[in-house]
Amino acid sequence: TDLARVAEDVHNFSIVLLEVDHQLKWAISPKPLAHAFAKITSIYTAILSLETAMKHLLHSSGLKRNDILSLLSEGASKSGKEEFFLRSDDFIFDKLTQMELIKLIDARFNDIERLRPYKKDYLLGELNNARKIRNDLMHFKNLEQLSEWLTTIESVTDQLKV
């Protein structure tokens, strides 16, 4: 069922029945739907906070545009993957994906004083876990884990804050 149709139906009716393969799967009313959207929104906000903390951490470490281009170009040439954003003159931190941010943190881990109290493998694992959560959320997978996700992302964000 199209999400736009569900939202319209929930607005117009007190309960909406959703079918999958012609079998009743869910009954949705406005209050639980609004609660679910609020949870999803809180996780999107937490993901943005995490990405912002990662960017601030890298920026505060003195990492310059040419350093970023060099580090990511090396990784791209080794993997055979072209990095399309590298041609842009935009502010580079706005163009970096979570995966690229993780690669940069990995490459500069020992140079970032804020990270010294943490074990590199542990922190990179937590960042990769947060990246997987973001991808699952973007594809509406494993939504039953929303509460756990929020805790995980907030925890790793707290470790990165400068």
Side-chain angles (χ1 to χ4, degrees):
T1 304
D2 180 31
L3 187 57
R5 174 67 191 265
V6 171
E8 182 180 329
D9 286 350
V10 167
H11 176 73
N12 293 326
F13 306 104
S14 59
I15 194 164
V16 174
L17 304 176
L18 295 176
E19 295 181 345
V20 174
D21 297 326
H22 305 290
Q23 293 185 2
L24 180 63
K25 285 295 241 181
W26 297 284
I28 299 177
S29 65
K31 188 175 180 178
L33 187 61
H35 181 70
F37 279 127
K39 279 182 132 178
I40 289 171
T41 300
S42 67
I43 293 177
Y44 277 121
T45 302
I47 289 169
L48 177 61
S49 292
L50 173 62
E51 290 176 358
T52 300
M54 293 168 78
K55 291 173 184 179
H56 282 142
L57 186 69
L58 288 166
H59 189 265
S60 70
S61 74
L63 194 61
K64 303 286 186 224
R65 179 181 177 81
N66 287 338
D67 299 329
I68 293 170
L69 295 174
S70 175
L71 288 167
L72 293 179
S73 293
E74 285 175 22
S77 64
K78 288 178 186 174
S79 68
K81 179 184 170 205
E82 185 177 352
E83 301 291 341
F84 294 103
F85 81 90
L86 296 177
R87 296 185 200 127
S88 172
D89 285 333
D90 295 336
F91 184 60
I92 196 164
F93 285 100
D94 289 341
K95 300 294 182 187
L96 298 172
T97 66
Q98 273 193 2
M99 189 68 209
E100 290 162 341
L101 290 166
I102 292 168
K103 287 178 184 178
L104 291 170
I105 289 172
D106 182 17
R108 297 290 299 260
F109 192 89
N110 294 327
D111 300 328
I112 303 172
E113 187 173 329
R114 173 75 178 105
L115 300 181
R116 289 193 181 137
Y118 303 102
K119 292 186 179 186
K120 182 178 180 178
D121 291 339
Y122 167 78
L123 189 58
L124 293 175
E126 290 294 300
L127 290 172
N128 273 311
N129 189 33
R131 184 182 58 79
K132 289 175 189 168
I133 288 170
R134 179 219 170 269
N135 290 343
D136 280 354
L137 185 61
M138 293 299 190
H139 296 283
F140 294 100
K141 295 180 183 174
N142 304 316
L143 293 181
E144 67 279 357
Q145 298 174 15
L146 286 175
S147 296
E148 291 174 40
W149 287 352
L150 186 57
T151 302
T152 300
I153 291 173
E154 287 175 341
S155 172
V156 73
T157 301
D158 287 342
Q159 294 174 39
L160 296 181
K161 285 188 177 172
V162 178

